[in-house]
Amino acid sequence: MTDSSRPLRFDLIAFDWDGTLYDSTRLIVRCIQAAVIDVGGAKPSENDAAWVIGLGLAEALARAAPDVPKEKYAELGARYRYHYLQHQDDLVLFDGVLQMIDALRARGHKLAVATGKSRRGLNEALKSVALRDRFDASRTADETFGKPHPRMLLELMEELEVLPERTLMIGDTTHDLQLALNAGCPSVGVSYGAHEPESFDELKPLFVAHSVASLEAWLLENA
């Protein structure tokens, strides 16, 4: 049992979206692969496609398709969006996410989203999973600098008036954990998303959760 009367360690908890709250990693990998093939590039491996998740779309696609010329980047992005939109309604939150978010809100934490998605993409996702009113703020890669540049997290902290040491970043990729380091914030990793948890070690997260249930339990005990 947790003691709800204990002072909070973190006033703000910022979540990555894809692969952390939203079960979208496999779909994004397939869409990246299909888009690259559509414009004549060599199909990236699943590992290479998964590694770029969390970056802004333009940077992610450029890294996943190094053989595609720059003049085709606009078409590459359009093909990715085409494939993603065909299946976005099939995506769901990981089991237990809504319960976890509501428990953290009840404890008095401010909650935010820091994502490599576009603003349009995040807004569409929030509509479909009834999460719009559960977050105090959000930032997307197309309205500030993409990960791991710290600007996204710094803007959230400024908006919500929270210090770096009172802010916790949670994500499934090294980009998320490096973002936290660059912004002077502690982090927690989750192992069920895009990156292998072994790659988290040098970024020193406070904890690595292997399920939403273990993430919630750690947060309620330690955040």
Side-chain angles (χ1 to χ4, degrees):
M1 296 291 290
T2 60
D3 181 1
S4 60
S5 67
R6 264 187 328 212
L8 298 182
R9 179 181 180 186
F10 299 111
D11 299 310
L12 171 60
I13 301 176
F15 290 92
D16 170 58
W17 186 261
D18 289 305
T20 301
L21 300 179
Y22 211 41
D23 190 3
S24 50
T25 300
R26 289 187 296 275
L27 174 61
I28 293 173
V29 166
R30 291 197 302 270
C31 291
I32 289 172
Q33 291 174 322
V36 174
I37 292 170
D38 285 351
V39 300
K43 179 181 177 180
S45 69
E46 289 189 4
N47 284 341
D48 287 345
W51 189 86
V52 304
I53 294 175
L55 301 174
L57 180 59
E59 181 183 1
L61 293 175
R63 291 199 184 197
D67 61 329
V68 172
K70 288 184 178 179
E71 57 267 26
K72 286 194 171 184
Y73 282 3
E75 181 186 358
L76 180 60
R79 294 308 298 167
Y80 170 81
R81 285 186 286 270
Y82 168 80
H83 288 293
Y84 188 86
L85 289 171
Q86 302 307 301
H87 298 283
Q88 69 172 359
D89 291 338
D90 300 340
L91 295 174
V92 295
L93 293 168
F94 287 109
D95 288 344
V97 163
L98 281 178
Q99 172 186 310
M100 175 180 68
I101 294 297
D102 287 343
L104 294 172
R105 283 175 58 84
R107 276 256 301 257
H109 297 283
K110 296 178 181 179
L111 302 180
V113 174
T115 178
K117 297 179 81 64
S118 67
R119 170 52 61 188
R120 178 182 175 184
L122 179 61
N123 285 348
E124 289 174 349
L126 287 169
K127 283 182 195 173
S128 66
V129 295
L131 274 175
R132 179 181 297 278
D133 297 329
R134 286 177 162 92
F135 293 101
D136 298 286
S138 60
R139 285 296 185 281
T140 61
D142 61 340
E143 59 192 10
T144 184
F145 287 94
K147 300 172 185 177
H149 193 286
R151 178 70 62 82
M152 182 181 297
L153 204 45
L154 293 173
E155 288 181 357
L156 287 168
M157 289 188 287
E158 182 178 5
E159 178 179 343
L160 298 173
E161 301 181 331
V162 180
L163 296 172
E165 62 269 23
R166 302 285 298 176
T167 299
L168 180 68
M169 178 69 206
I170 300 174
D172 68 309
T173 70
T174 55
H175 315 308
D176 300 310
L177 306 190
Q178 187 65 58
L179 164 67
L181 275 179
N182 292 346
C185 301
S187 67
V188 163
V190 302
S191 68
Y192 50 80
H195 286 191
E196 293 298 325
E198 291 77 13
S199 63
F200 296 165
D201 291 347
E202 64 186 41
L203 299 172
K204 299 184 174 9
L206 299 178
F207 179 66
V208 176
H210 299 300
S211 67
V212 173
S214 67
L215 176 60
E216 179 184 1
W218 188 90
L219 290 171
L220 293 179
E221 185 64 32
N222 297 279

